[in-house]
Amino acid sequence: MNLTSLAEWSDDEILAILDRAESFARDPNGHRDLLADRIVCTAFFEPSTRTRLSFEAAAHRLGAHVIGFSDATATSSAKGETLRDSARILGGYADALVLRHPTKGAAKEAAAAAGIPLINAGDGDGEHPTQTLVDLFTIRRECGRIDGITVAVVGDLRYGRTVHSLIPALQRFGANVVQVPAPGLELPESMGKVPSVSLAEAAQTADVLYVTRVQKERFDDPDGYAAAQGALVVDAALLAESKAIVLHPLPRVDEVDEDVDLLPAAKYFDQARNGVPVRMAVLATLLENHS
Ligand code: NCD
């Protein structure tokens, strides 16, 4: 079993992860033997703080060992090794492979070669399924449900892989989604018809503002980045009359003002912390089903 895209998982499989993550969140120290002496490999070909380190913390909390790299220039990919070959090699060393890569589709390609459970930790502007599980977990905790709520996705909706994974998952579980794109960065057509609203309207009508950074590293054209960067900012004044909570996969640049951090609506640091129990649930589930 792999986690390359949540589209391949049933509703029940997703809900089982969220429920299991709740039990890990309640008792994070009580499961040190669950994956004792299993080996998790984190192979990160792109920068990461939260995703890699929350996976590593999750593995350690379950008693697993961790190997891996976060600087691909120090690996054989710098000598020209293909991703398929690297994945096949790592599949011979570890029991699960957590992969982040700049190319969309990389996770599916590597999964076929690895022969061990593979988890997509972000593939270019493609998907980021474990972030979506963290987001669903946080929304369910903070709003009490997913069904029937309205989520406004804000910012770089063109290149942001977090929203590309999150939107179909929200729709499956009955949430309404609206978009507030930064200039020129609307959702791709493949996401279907998602109504556009202004940021002010979203703040007044949504239950969740899901804010994202402009993905500087994905632009071929520096003018496109300059036109979008800084165009949408969520600050305390915008939220004055709002009932919405604010989520952000992080890192933020300047799209959520630091004055929001002091408001009860700010849930993005809780969201980041939820990364550990949710990834514990993912690792436990995938590794238990693979001896
Ligand atoms: C996101 C990513 O890598 O896609 N970060 C994360 O995993 N929390 C969002 C981003 O980089 O903007």
Side-chain angles (χ1 to χ4, degrees), residues 17-96:
I17 294 284
L18 304 188
D19 290 342
R20 197 160 190 195
E22 284 291 351
S23 75
F24 287 136
R26 275 195 298 276
D27 180 18
N29 293 314
H31 309 275
R32 300 271 174 183
D33 295 330
L34 203 64
L35 297 183
D37 294 332
R38 309 299 292 277
I39 298 177
V40 174
C41 178
T42 54
F44 276 61
F45 290 84
E46 267 196 342
S48 170
T49 302
R50 274 149 292 274
T51 304
R52 184 172 66 85
L53 295 175
S54 63
F55 259 117
E56 296 193 358
H60 287 297
R61 286 197 180 279
L62 295 170
H65 304 287
V66 177
I67 60 171
F69 58 85
S70 56
D71 175 8
T73 62
T75 72
S76 283
S77 72
K79 302 177 184 174
E81 185 169 60
T82 64
L83 176 64
R84 275 191 306 281
D85 279 1
S86 298
R88 186 168 177 176
I89 297 302
L90 298 175
Y93 297 163
D95 300 303

Side-chain angles (χ1 to χ4, degrees), residues 159-214:
Y159 296 120
R161 58 193 171 202
T162 59
V163 290
H164 298 166
S165 283
L166 178 61
I167 290 169
L170 285 171
Q171 291 169 334
R172 260 165 98 158
F173 288 105
N176 309 308
V177 182
V178 295
Q179 61 172 317
V180 185
L185 300 178
E186 291 77 15
L187 282 168
E189 277 179 15
S190 59
M191 292 274 112
K193 285 230 177 309
V194 176
S196 284
V197 299
S198 69
L199 185 56
E201 192 181 342
Q204 292 316 309
T205 55
D207 300 289
V208 178
L209 294 179
Y210 189 93
V211 189
T212 61
R213 150 185 93 86
V214 179

Side-chain angles (χ1 to χ4, degrees), residues 152-155 180 198-200 202-204 208-213 230-240 242 244-248 252-263 265-268:
V153 291
V154 180
V180 185
S198 69
L199 185 56
Q204 292 316 309
V208 178
L209 294 179
Y210 189 93
V211 189
T212 61
R213 150 185 93 86
L232 294 174
V233 177
V234 172
D235 58 16
L238 178 86
L239 297 173
S242 173
I245 61 164
V246 181
L247 299 182
H248 192 310
R252 71 172 149 189
V253 181
D254 55 8
E255 58 284 345
V256 178
D257 194 287
E258 283 189 20
D259 66 5
V260 176
D261 298 1
L262 304 172
L263 303 178
K267 298 296 180 192
Y268 29 90

